[in-house]
Amino acid sequence: MKLKGGEHESSEGSEGAKGKMTLPLALVALISAFGSSFQYGYNVSVINSPAPYMQDFYNRTYLARTGVPMESSFQTLLWSLTVSMFPLGGLFGSLMVWPLVNNCGRKGTLLINNLFSIAAAVLMGTSELAKTFEVIILSRVVMGIFAGLASNVVPMFLGEMSPKNLRGAIGVVPQLFITIGILAAQILGLNSILGNAKGWPVLLGLTGIPSLIQLLTLPFFPESPRYLLIQKGNEKQARRALQRLRGWEDVDDEIQEMYQEDRSEKEEGQFSVLSLFTFRGLRWQLISIIVMMAGQQLSGVNGVFYYADRIFESAGVPSSSIQYVTVSIGAINVIMTLLAVFIVESLGRRILLLAGFVLCSASCAILTLALNLQTTVSWMSYLSIVCVIAYIIGHAIGPSPIPAVIITEMFLQSSRPAAFMVGGSVHWLSNFTVGLVFLYMEAGLGPYSFLIFCAICLATMLYIFFIVPETKNKTFMEINRIMAKRNKVEIQESKELTDSYPLEKQEEKKVLSS
């Protein structure tokens, strides 16, 4: 039972030295979330408000080239390409996660990724001068690739840097910046600001600025310590990075925990996506991220946002004011995600996910009722507004931010890149599918399409309730042990494993301390 004692000791040690929020940790979280996640959100909603002016530009350009006006069916095709190329690019970006983060590191990948965003921003910003709409469609793919990488690499990078007692809070920061990005695009896209015939190229081009800031500042911050130690085998750099991030000299407990994780994984080597699917020891983790990522997108969040304008219009909000209502929904989204940052460590991940999905499914069910009755019962249109707001609150506290945190936590270093690649691909495929199918669903089923979303939310909620464990304040190894029981596999670890670190490193420690 020596192992238990050793384990107890090391977890006591790390409990005593709870990670605090240091300035370098806060800055690296803000810079990587602002430079990457923010733009994902910004580009999700940036083309909504200038849509009529952009379509007009497509039409004028086509007319100038061919001398005949564009057919409306062709225009619809071009516009749906402009919208849907973004999630398609996101899928391509997700597929690049594994090779890039393993070869270039987490920080390196974020820096390389900025080049995509800056290139796309320049192209979109100059598209009107160059009189070419094809460039906009191409840039949407490139921006999608950027967002696909950003949406996976930022949570991975921050999750690997954070002390275990702050991992959830810091893990929600990327989602917070995604919502801030959406809000920024909504505000800048108001008709009075840039959402007009003159301003839209600037609106599209602004996305390069956060990338530029990140490109200039992120190199001064450390790479993920886990990547340096476990994948690069460089303990000296890992120790230096940890000391900077934690704000104290003694980081032995964390280094030891990394060595322990490294040894328990030596058996398996680096996971590719294929080996991830065939490895029994990760079966339930894999199913869980697929269910949560699909549930997050198929729960109808895009449908609700899409429907929101019409719901407010039918409640008697004048069409000139609707854009301000959309901005206020964006603001609610930001505030609730900010709340999640502060409560995820006290309440835990499970509660937020369960409460979020319950609130979403209830909102969808009542929304179906309200939309069906709003022609006969006058106050139903107000109930539908309440449902939209309740849905957005529910999605913002759990289904939006938490799944990425859980991917970071459920997988160890060797399988994490492959896991993010799978989770990211499911996320973008589901996003793309909802974008394609929702218009047809809505045409065929009308308000009843929300019942499908309601069922998906309920199913995801039940899965989480029965399968997904609470992961707050646990080390990656502790979470791995919980999941090993569920997968019915033994974890490779022995007495020597826990004790071998101090023996090998005793001398080094003496040297370091002297």
Side-chain angles (χ1 to χ4, degrees):
M1 293 308 289
K2 182 80 194 298
L3 168 72
K4 284 279 178 281
E7 213 180 277
H8 184 66
E9 238 167 65
S10 74
S11 66
E12 281 296 348
S14 51
E15 276 306 308
K18 267 213 157 157
K20 63 181 197 296
M21 179 58 90
T22 58
L23 187 64
L25 185 60
L27 284 175
V28 83
L30 292 176
I31 289 168
S32 44
F34 174 65
S36 299
S37 312
F38 172 87
Q39 304 190 67
Y40 167 21
Y42 186 85
N43 285 287
V44 162
S45 73
V46 74
I47 59 171
N48 294 350
S49 44
Y53 307 106
M54 287 173 71
Q55 286 167 339
D56 180 50
F57 163 67
Y58 286 15
N59 214 340
R60 285 202 319 273
T61 310
Y62 187 82
L63 181 64
R65 277 187 209 163
T66 59
V68 285
M70 193 184 279
E71 284 178 31
S72 68
S73 58
F74 185 55
Q75 180 159 358
T76 309
L77 172 74
L78 280 180
W79 187 248
S80 57
L81 278 177
T82 310
V83 175
S84 62
M85 278 300 142
F86 182 68
L88 198 63
L91 177 61
F92 296 148
S94 295
L95 296 176
M96 293 159 67
V97 168
W98 185 80
L100 277 173
V101 293
N102 285 331
N103 295 316
C104 310
R106 281 67 172 143
K107 181 174 98 169
T109 303
L110 288 178
L111 291 172
I112 292 167
N113 199 19
N114 285 321
L115 302 176
F116 285 118
S117 154
I118 292 168
V122 170
L123 288 175
M124 290 193 291
T126 55
S127 56
E128 196 187 23
L129 288 172
K131 299 204 173 3
T132 158
F133 52 78
E134 292 86 351
V135 158
I136 296 180
I137 296 172
L138 173 74
S139 302
R140 291 285 291 173
V141 182
V142 176
M143 223 41 244
I145 293 173
F146 170 87
L149 275 164
S151 62
N152 292 302
V153 181
V154 178
M156 188 191 309
F157 182 50
L158 296 183
E160 290 178 7
M161 286 193 150
S162 315
K164 64 179 184 179
N165 57 305
L166 293 175
R167 209 168 45 220
I170 291 176
V172 175
V173 168
Q175 181 61 37
L176 173 65
F177 272 85
I178 290 175
T179 58
I180 294 172
I182 292 174
L183 180 63
Q186 287 168 340
I187 292 173
L188 292 172
L190 291 171
N191 293 124
S192 51
I193 304 177
L194 289 173
N196 48 48
K198 288 249 179 350
W200 67 262
V202 181
L203 184 66
L204 295 182
L206 281 177
T207 185
I209 294 173
S211 266
L212 207 57
I213 294 172
Q214 189 183 56
L215 205 50
L216 297 173
T217 50
L218 195 61
F220 297 106
F221 290 89
E223 173 59 274
S224 151
R226 297 189 109 78
Y227 170 78
L228 292 171
L229 183 83
I230 299 177
Q231 281 169 269
K232 285 280 170 261
N234 190 332
E235 191 198 325
K236 203 170 155 199
Q237 279 191 327
R239 190 177 282 278
R240 208 177 301 136
L242 270 176
Q243 286 165 339
R244 244 191 100 183
L245 291 166
R246 299 291 175 264
W248 54 65
E249 288 301 303
D250 180 21
V251 289
D252 286 335
D253 283 332
E254 279 194 78
I255 295 273
Q256 180 178 348
E257 189 238 320
M258 287 183 209
Y259 269 113
Q260 200 180 335
E261 179 179 327
D262 186 26
R263 291 224 171 74
S264 79
E265 297 189 295
K266 276 287 187 275
E267 322 299 313
E268 284 103 44
Q270 277 292 326
F271 278 86
S272 67
V273 171
L274 198 63
S275 56
L276 191 64
F277 275 96
T278 51
F279 184 64
R280 182 164 163 208
L282 292 171
R283 184 162 303 160
W284 282 106
Q285 288 96 310
L286 188 64
I287 297 171
S288 300
I289 59 161
I290 291 174
V291 169
M292 283 189 289
M293 278 302 191
Q296 177 197 59
Q297 289 299 312
L298 302 176
S299 58
V301 62
N302 299 1
V304 170
F305 270 112
Y306 172 80
Y307 235 98
D309 288 5
R310 263 186 283 175
I311 289 168
F312 288 110
E313 213 168 322
S314 62
V317 178
S319 46
S320 56
S321 319
I322 282 190
Q323 50 176 349
Y324 299 103
V325 177
T326 316
V327 168
S328 54
I329 289 186
I332 294 171
N333 206 356
V334 172
I335 292 162
M336 296 317 295
T337 312
L338 186 60
L339 177 67
V341 172
F342 292 106
I343 60 180
V344 65
E345 293 301 353
S346 49
L347 293 180
R349 331 311 191 214
R350 259 175 72 90
I351 298 288
L352 291 184
L353 277 170
L354 294 171
F357 276 115
V358 166
L359 194 52
C360 288
S361 59
S363 308
C364 283
I366 300 169
L367 186 59
T368 309
L369 182 78
L371 290 173
N372 274 310
L373 296 177
Q374 68 182 14
T375 44
T376 45
V377 185
S378 59
W379 52 269
M380 275 297 170
S381 52
Y382 298 106
L383 180 62
S384 52
I385 289 185
V386 173
C387 287
V388 168
I389 292 169
Y391 180 94
I392 281 158
I393 290 174
H395 216 277
I397 57 167
S400 280
I402 308 293
V405 176
I406 290 193
I407 299 184
T408 308
E409 296 185 323
M410 273 191 172
F411 292 86
L412 296 180
Q413 199 70 18
S414 60
S415 50
R416 195 175 292 125
F420 263 104
M421 197 158 142
V422 172
S425 304
V426 171
H427 168 104
W428 290 99
L429 265 176
S430 310
N431 185 320
F432 186 62
T433 310
V434 172
L436 277 181
V437 176
F438 183 71
L439 289 173
Y440 296 104
M441 233 168 75
E442 196 256 328
L445 298 170
Y448 291 107
S449 41
F450 285 104
L451 284 180
I452 298 176
F453 296 141
C454 172
I456 292 172
C457 289
L458 271 180
T460 314
M461 190 273 297
L462 288 170
Y463 177 89
I464 292 167
F465 183 75
F466 289 113
I467 306 287
V468 178
E470 181 49 75
T471 54
K472 74 165 181 184
N473 220 354
K474 293 183 171 65
T475 65
F476 292 134
M477 285 302 292
E478 288 163 349
I479 298 164
N480 200 35
R481 282 183 207 114
I482 297 170
M483 294 308 290
K485 289 197 186 88
R486 174 140 284 149
N487 290 318
K488 298 187 173 54
V489 292
E490 290 294 311
I491 290 191
Q492 299 285 325
E493 55 182 340
S494 56
K495 174 178 170 299
E496 299 85 60
L497 194 147
T498 329
D499 296 352
S500 62
Y501 163 75
L503 294 175
E504 286 170 23
K505 302 290 167 194
Q506 221 108 48
E507 294 308 308
E508 229 169 277
K509 255 175 123 169
K510 280 179 192 156
V511 175
L512 281 168
S513 58
S514 64

